[in-house]
């Protein structure tokens, strides 16, 4: 937002320097990003009088002038012809520097000395184009007075960076209100007086709103007898000072009122409107329209257009059309002031890449109650500057008028949150200065009604911010934060997470991270039963894409998709794991249960490619070995492997559940061929899934360490025939059931099926290591224990010794 110092002073009589004003605005939250001192450095450009003008003796198109600057008479050579003797002009004296770093020097032009330069508006940066030098109106300007001072052009331009919520400050009046409120000064609102005809506006024009959702209010006035001409100098200079080019008196007035009051306006040539009628409707898909910039626009049904009885004449809130623009022959005007839905204007402006001062304001939201005030202001100026006659009243279509917002405000809460101690009366005074309507309630609270232009005030906390802002952020005392000192030492849970990751990485695995979002069909790919709670995923209210519309209930689909993606990139030897949370729904509206799970996947070669070793593929026992290493280092005891309880996504004969005592802590196995096919994997994949929370509960944080025995050990082997259906862990359990403390270690070291072995049987060899912590065991002691073991195996498991 651009605004000048002098313009602000017309509405608030403040006594601040430009620098002080910039500081005040910034502390109010209206950050002054830059200051441009207009006319600064141009004191050598002065008002001068042309006392004599004659033909240059050596050039047909040049004049030799004698110019009085109030101190002396100078000879100046000039090429312009739009002035005469006796005119007051702008003289750039020797030593002056004009825009573009153009320095004025004494010089000879075609043999005649020139001690300065007579300047045009363009050369002084006051206009983009000019037909000749600048001839000043005869207002008795004192000769030698700096030009910018004489014309009142010496000013300071502020460029203010506004946050999107402060749409009310996209106007000079809005910023002036803030200054008046801060300094407790009187705000001088411009007086609006419209001289109207006897005939009413609705006898000349008609307005219909077809879509009141996108256009809740549309007001129009009818003005006849207008003369389109150049704007008066004060209006041109005012617009030029904020970077707006003058077009003609009517268009300049609409631009002036927009910058002054923040309400975009548009003037239509009424003679170009079919049936003198306005219809506000949505555009048709593919409808063509040519805007004022000469570009043909293709519209869609989300765009809002202003039409006459036959065709679109303006793109609502963005830009008018060529077919109804104000021209030199325009005499009858329909003047528009409306409120359009911000989201609709933003969408249209962004889609077309067409950002205007008008769309900038509509996108952020304007004051719906200020629509007619701005309309009357523009109508009165058009009547004054263009000689127009204004019909009686405005045609105001306002179908959806809403009730003003009332907010309950507690002054004591404001003091508490801001950290100050303002009296109740001071807080009420601040709100009144901001033009908030305050009514005191019997319970001590305040009922506050924000003005209609403060669309950013919606809650009590917004009012508290206003109190802090007007009181002054710099007046809020600096205090040290009150906080409890806590240890940043990681919790036991966090230590376990770190340790698990470290152990898995030590086993050659690589961690992956997938999105917590997944797609509903992921559970179907895993062949989960309809009654499985993991199929009941939590849905996102506003998903970005359908493939990420629910929260994951298991990590396995993401891991398998990562495996498939890597295989498609010819990365065939994989050892991956993911350790993240899953999201399981709970009863009622409570938050989901979010346990941490560990899922790993192995496929391809066991040790990767290498010329010096055979290529062996990973199998079930590689995955099982990783889990055994993990659980052993975490101190999880009583681990057993049960093949009865398997998940549906595992191969039935190549998987098992992992038990810690009676608690199932996970599962491991080869992925079911159907599941592999569902994920586009054409080679065996071995996975494991562990419940981290159960592992933490089952682990022993304190490890007992026993010194090794200083006595020698002794080993004995047992070879036996066992039924193929007998699980190996039952053999180990049977041996340990002998409960001899001398049994130090049990190892199954051989497994054979084939020639010489009856059908339905397997040959298994077990090695038992004996050792005592008290003495060296004798042969008889070892033999006695060994015999008990053999008897137990024969009696309990019906094995046959070989």
């Amino acid at each position: 937002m651009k605004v000048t110092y002098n313009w602000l002073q017309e509405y608030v009589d403040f006594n601040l320097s430009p620098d002080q004003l910039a500081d005040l605005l910034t502390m109010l939250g209206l950050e002054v990003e830059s200051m441009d001192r207009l006319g600064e450095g141009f004191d050598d450009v002065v008002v001068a009088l042309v006392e004599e003008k004659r033909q240059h003796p050596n050039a047909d198109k040049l004049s030799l002038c004698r110019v009085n600057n109030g101190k002396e008479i100078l000879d100046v050579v000039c090429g312009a012809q739009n002035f005469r003797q006796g005119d007051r002009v702008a003289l750039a004296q020797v030593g002056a520097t004009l825009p573009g770093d153009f320095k004025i020097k004494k010089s000879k032009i075609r043999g005649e000395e020139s001690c300065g330069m007579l300047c045009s508006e363009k050369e002084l940066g006051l206009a983009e184009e000019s037909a000749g030098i600048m001839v000043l109106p005869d207002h008795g300007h004192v000769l030698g007075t700096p030009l910018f001072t004489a014309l009142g052009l010496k000013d300071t331009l502020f460029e203010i960076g506004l946050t999107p919520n402060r749409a009310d400050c996209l106007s000079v009046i809005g910023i002036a209100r803030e200054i008046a409120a801060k300094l407790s000064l009187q705000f001088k609102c411009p007086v609006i007086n419209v001289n109207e005809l006897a005939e009413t506006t609705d006898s000349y024009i008609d307005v219909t709103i077809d879509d009141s959702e996108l256009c809740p209010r549309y007001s129009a006035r009818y003005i006849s007898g207008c003369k389109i001409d150049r704007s008066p100098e004060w209006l041109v200079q005012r617009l030029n000072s904020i970077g707006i080019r003058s077009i003609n008196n009517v268009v300049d007035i609409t631009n002036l009122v927009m910058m002054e009051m923040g309400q975009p306006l548009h003037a239509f040539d009424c003679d170009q409107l079919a049936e003198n009628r306005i219809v506000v409707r949505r555009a048709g898909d593919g409808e063509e329209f040519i805007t004022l910039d000469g570009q043909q626009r293709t519209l869609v049904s989300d765009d809002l257009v202003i039409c006459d009885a036959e065709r679109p004449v303006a793109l609502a809130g963005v830009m008018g059309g060529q077919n109804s623009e104000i021209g030199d022959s325009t005499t009858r005007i329909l003047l528009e002031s409306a409120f359009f839905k911000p989201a609709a204007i933003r969408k249209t402006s962004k889609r077309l890449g067409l950002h205007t001062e008008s769309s900038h304001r509509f996108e952020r939201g304007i004051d719906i109650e200020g629509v007619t005030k701005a309309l009357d202001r523009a109508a009165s100026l058009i009547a004054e500057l263009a000689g127009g006659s204004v019909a009686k009243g405005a045609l105001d279509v306002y179908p959806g008028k809403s009730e003003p917002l009332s907010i309950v405000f507690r002054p004591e809460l404001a003091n508490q949150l801001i950290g100050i101690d303002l009296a109740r009366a001071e807080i009420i005074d601040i709100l009144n200065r901001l033009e908030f309507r305050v009514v005191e309630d019997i319970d001590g609270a305040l009922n506050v009604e924000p003005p209609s232009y403060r669309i950013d005030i919606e809650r009590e906390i917004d009012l508290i911010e206003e109190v802090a802002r007007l009181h002054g952020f710099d007046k809020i005392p600096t205090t040290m934060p009150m906080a409890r000192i806590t240890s940043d030492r990681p919790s036991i849970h966090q230590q376990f997470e770190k340790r698990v990751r470290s152990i898995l990485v030590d086993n050659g695995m690589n961690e992956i991270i997938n999105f917590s979002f997944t797609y509903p069909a992921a559970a179907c790919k895993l062949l989960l039963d309809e009654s499985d709670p993991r199929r009941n995923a939590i849905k996102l209210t506003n998903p970005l894409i359908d493939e990420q519309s629910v929260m994951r209930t298991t990590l396995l689909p993401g891991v398998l998709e990562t495996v498939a993606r890597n295989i498609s990139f010819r990365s065939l030897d994989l050892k991956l794991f993911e350790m993240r949370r899953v999201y399981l729904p709970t009863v009622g509206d409570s938050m989901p249960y979010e346990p941490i799970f560990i899922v790993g996947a192995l496929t391809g070669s066991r040790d990767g490619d290498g010329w010096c070793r055979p290529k062996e593929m990973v199998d079930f026992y590689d995955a099982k070995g990783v889990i055994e290493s993990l659980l052993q280092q975490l101190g999880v005891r009583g681990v057993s492997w049960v093949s009865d309880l398997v998940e549906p996504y595992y191969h039935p004969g190549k998987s098992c559940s992992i038990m810690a005592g009676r608690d199932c802590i996970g599962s491991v196995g080869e992925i079911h061929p159907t599941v592999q096919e569902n994920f586009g994997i054409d080679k065996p994949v071995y996975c494991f899934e562990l419940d981290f929370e159960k592992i933490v509960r089952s682990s022993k944080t304190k490890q007992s360490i026993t010194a090794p025995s200083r006595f020698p050990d002794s080993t004995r082997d047992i070879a036996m025939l066992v039924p193929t259906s007998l699980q190996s862990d039952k053999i180990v359990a049977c041996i340990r059931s002998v409960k001899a403390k001398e049994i130090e270690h049990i190892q199954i070291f051989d497994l054979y099926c084939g020639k010489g072995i009856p059908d339905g049987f397997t040959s298994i060899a077990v090695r038992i290591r004996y050792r005592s912590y008290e003495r060296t065991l004798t042969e008889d002691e070892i033999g006695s224990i060994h015999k008990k073991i053999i008897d137990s195996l024969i009696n309990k498991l019906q094995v046959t010794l070989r």
Side-chain angles (χ1 to χ4, degrees), residues 43 64 105 221 349 397 449 477 535 554 633 657:
D43 287 347
L64 184 59
K105 301 177 182 178
R221 272 192 176 274
S349 175
V397 184
E449 185 180 307
R535 292 180 69 101
T554 171
Q633 294 186 58
S657 296

Side-chain angles (χ1 to χ4, degrees), residues 482-641:
M482 300 291 291
R484 181 182 300 169
I485 299 176
T486 58
S487 172
D488 59 355
R489 182 181 301 172
S491 65
I492 297 297
H493 201 277
Q494 291 170 329
Q495 292 177 28
F496 258 88
E497 287 186 54
K498 185 175 180 180
R499 194 172 175 200
V500 166
R501 287 188 171 92
S502 178
I503 294 170
L504 292 174
V505 170
D506 289 345
N507 278 271
M509 304 197 73
N510 296 298
E511 185 175 9
I512 60 173
I513 299 176
N514 286 304
F515 283 111
S516 298
F517 314 129
T518 186
Y519 49 96
C524 300
K525 287 187 174 184
L526 293 179
L527 309 181
L528 295 178
D529 189 79
E530 291 290 339
S531 60
D532 195 308
R534 287 171 292 184
R535 292 180 69 101
N536 185 24
I538 299 168
K539 296 180 180 179
L540 298 181
T541 304
N542 188 24
L544 294 176
I545 54 176
D546 292 339
E547 287 74 16
Q548 295 180 355
S549 60
V550 297
M551 303 298 290
R552 65 188 177 194
T553 56
T554 171
L555 302 177
L556 191 56
V559 172
L560 291 177
E561 286 174 353
T562 303
V563 169
R565 194 178 303 113
N566 276 272
I567 290 175
S568 69
F569 293 150
R570 304 304 298 162
S571 181
L572 305 178
D573 304 322
L574 303 171
K575 292 181 181 179
L576 309 176
F577 79 93
E578 182 171 14
M579 184 178 177
R580 289 291 181 277
R581 295 188 182 277
V582 298
Y583 304 87
L584 305 174
T586 53
V587 179
D589 296 330
S590 58
M591 296 296 289
Y593 176 50
E594 302 178 19
I596 295 177
F597 271 77
I598 310 162
V599 170
L602 298 87
T603 186
S605 172
R606 177 170 293 135
D607 299 314
D609 294 331
W611 61 270
C612 61
R613 55 180 178 269
K615 187 170 184 177
E616 297 178 350
M617 309 304 287
V618 296
D619 57 20
F620 172 86
Y621 294 101
D622 290 280
K624 181 172 178 284
V626 171
I627 299 171
E628 287 175 329
S629 173
L630 175 65
L631 298 181
Q632 180 184 358
Q633 294 186 58
L634 294 178
V636 179
R637 300 288 180 258
V639 177
S640 59
W641 312 79

Side-chain angles (χ1 to χ4, degrees), residues 56 58-59 62-64 75-78 94 104-116:
H56 192 292
N58 302 319
L62 296 179
S63 300
L64 184 59
D75 291 325
V76 178
V77 176
C78 182
V94 174
I104 304 300
K105 301 177 182 178
K106 183 185 290 188
S107 60
K108 278 195 174 184
I109 302 175
R110 303 294 291 269
E112 296 292 334
E113 188 175 61
S114 181
C115 299

Side-chain angles (χ1 to χ4, degrees), residues 25 219 237 240 250 311 350 369 417 501 524 554 564 683 701 788:
L25 290 173
S219 296
Q237 290 175 359
N240 285 344
V250 171
R311 59 188 178 165
K350 186 175 182 180
E369 300 300 330
L417 292 180
R501 287 188 171 92
C524 300
T554 171
K683 56 189 297 188
T701 56
K788 289 179 182 179

